[in-house]
């Protein structure tokens, strides 16, 4: 009888200890899941903020890049239309920028890069979301970066051509005595009479157009990313 009571006492103590450990483990799991959920929400919110920032950057880039094409189209036209050119810009420096400077593409990605370094992307459960992020920031961004590198090489050739054969254009660009009309006409004549200069600009035009098509693909992935993030927000609120 005594042995039975002793056994039951040990059994109750064992059950109590087991239940205590189980409850502690269960509470720790809940705490960990809640912490992970908080981190997941933080990551999602940061990505959504960055998507909006990148979209604004892309919209501005698309506007500038389309203007680049319009300026070159006006200058390469057989008959220079000054009024059309002045609708795009009234600045000689803006035209000169088109000729000798390449446009880099540096979308605001500090948050995403920070998540990569810290490993915070592990909190994202959606494989589709991870796939879209990779496509956006690796594949599609790389396409644009390639056009930037190619354009940089073309700009170096352009600077060499202008410096050697048309150095007066650099002088007239900063001389206030010459209006944008005077500068554009002089540049237009130089383009018509210099086949190398014209061909360089025509090749650049091809890269301008390819760059825009790459940017539109990038924006498409950005919109897909935004849709995935919005779906997660709605799912978490339900």
């Amino acid at each position: 009888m005594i042995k039975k009571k002793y056994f039951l006492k040990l059994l109750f103590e064992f059950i109590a200890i087991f239940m205590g450990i189980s409850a502690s483990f269960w509470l720790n799991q809940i705490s960990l899941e809640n912490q992970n959920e908080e981190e997941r929400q933080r990551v999602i919110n940061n990505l959504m903020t960055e998507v909006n920032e990148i979209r604004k950057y892309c919209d501005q880039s698309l506007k500038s890049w389309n203007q680049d094409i319009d300026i070159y189209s006006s200058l390469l036209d057989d008959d220079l239309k000054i009024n059309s050119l002045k609708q795009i810009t009234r600045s000689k420096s803006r035209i000169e920028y088109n000729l000798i400077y390449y446009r880099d593409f540096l979308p605001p990605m500090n948050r995403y890069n920070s998540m990569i370094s810290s490993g915070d992307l592990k909190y994202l459960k959606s494989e589709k979301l991870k796939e879209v992020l990779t496509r956006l920031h690796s594949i599609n961004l790389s396409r644009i970066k390639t056009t930037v590198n190619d354009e940089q090489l073309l700009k170096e050739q352009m600077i060499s051509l202008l410096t050697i054969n048309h150095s007066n254009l650099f002088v007239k660009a900063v001389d206030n005595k010459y209006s944008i009309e005077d500068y554009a006409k002089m540049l237009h004549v130089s383009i018509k009479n210099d086949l190398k200069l014209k061909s360089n600009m025509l090749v650049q035009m091809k890269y301008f157009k390819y760059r825009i098509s790459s940017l539109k693909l990038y924006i498409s992935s950005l919109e897909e990313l935004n849709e995935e993030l919005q779906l997660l927000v709605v799912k978490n609120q339900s």
Side-chain angles (χ1 to χ4, degrees):
M1 187 72 176
I2 296 174
K3 289 183 177 180
K4 184 177 180 180
K5 289 182 178 180
Y6 181 72
F7 174 76
L8 290 173
K9 179 181 179 181
L10 289 177
L11 180 61
F12 288 144
E13 288 179 353
F14 174 78
I15 292 173
I17 293 172
F18 177 79
M19 291 181 66
I21 293 174
S22 298
S24 177
F25 177 77
W26 179 68
L27 290 173
N28 284 336
Q29 284 296 107
I30 292 177
S31 176
L32 182 60
E33 288 178 4
N34 288 337
Q35 183 179 349
N36 286 344
E37 184 59 33
E38 289 177 1
E39 291 297 324
R40 185 159 35 251
Q41 287 300 318
R42 180 180 61 81
V43 169
I44 290 173
N45 290 336
N46 282 337
L47 285 174
M48 291 181 69
T49 299
E50 192 163 83
V51 163
N52 292 329
E53 293 173 351
I54 293 176
R55 185 55 203 253
K56 290 178 182 178
Y57 180 87
C58 288
D59 288 343
Q60 183 57 50
S61 295
L62 188 60
K63 178 181 178 182
S64 298
W65 294 359
N66 276 317
Q67 286 179 345
D68 291 344
I69 290 178
D70 291 339
I71 289 173
Y72 265 32
S73 296
S74 295
L75 293 171
L76 287 166
D77 199 305
D78 290 337
D79 297 315
L80 178 64
K81 297 178 178 60
I82 294 294
N83 290 334
S84 297
L85 185 61
K86 290 174 68 175
Q87 287 179 1
I88 306 167
T89 180
R90 291 179 175 272
S91 169
K92 290 185 291 182
S93 60
R94 174 66 177 83
I95 297 175
E96 185 182 53
Y97 187 99
N98 241 43
L99 293 170
I100 63 177
Y101 294 105
Y102 71 95
R103 292 191 183 278
D104 209 341
F105 187 73
L106 300 170
M109 294 171 51
N110 292 339
R111 289 180 176 83
Y112 176 75
N113 290 332
S114 177
M115 292 176 203
I116 292 292
S117 300
S118 64
D120 284 351
L121 290 180
K122 67 184 178 184
Y123 294 110
L124 296 177
K125 294 180 179 179
S126 172
E127 292 300 321
K128 175 67 179 298
L129 184 58
K130 293 178 183 178
E131 185 271 328
V132 175
L133 278 168
T134 300
R135 180 151 35 90
L136 175 72
H137 291 307
S138 296
I139 300 173
N140 291 340
L141 179 60
S142 178
R143 286 167 59 96
I144 299 177
K145 289 292 187 181
T146 298
T147 65
V148 170
N149 294 333
D150 292 338
E151 185 188 355
Q152 184 178 5
L153 293 174
L154 286 169
K155 293 300 185 184
E156 291 173 0
Q157 296 175 17
M158 174 67 84
I159 292 172
S160 178
L161 277 171
L162 291 174
T163 303
I164 295 173
N165 300 327
H166 308 279
S167 55
N168 60 322
L169 289 170
F170 289 108
V171 177
K172 303 299 170 54
V174 296
D175 191 338
N176 292 330
K177 294 179 182 178
Y178 292 86
S179 65
I180 186 173
E181 290 90 343
D182 298 328
Y183 178 74
K185 288 176 181 178
M186 187 180 304
L187 177 56
H188 185 252
V189 171
S190 297
I191 294 169
K192 289 184 69 174
N193 295 333
D194 189 332
L195 187 58
K196 289 184 179 180
L197 178 60
K198 185 174 184 178
S199 61
N200 182 288
M201 292 178 67
L202 288 170
V203 173
Q204 282 190 51
M205 279 276 283
K206 294 180 185 295
Y207 278 98
F208 288 170
K209 292 175 181 178
Y210 177 72
R211 182 177 59 185
I212 286 179
S213 66
S214 298
L215 177 57
K216 288 180 177 179
L217 189 60
Y218 182 85
I219 292 174
S220 176
S221 293
L222 187 66
E223 291 174 347
E224 186 179 0
L225 173 60
N226 186 56
E227 289 175 2
E228 290 296 319
L229 291 170
Q230 294 291 346
L231 286 174
L232 286 179
V233 171
V234 172
K235 182 178 179 181
N236 291 334
Q237 289 176 346
S238 62

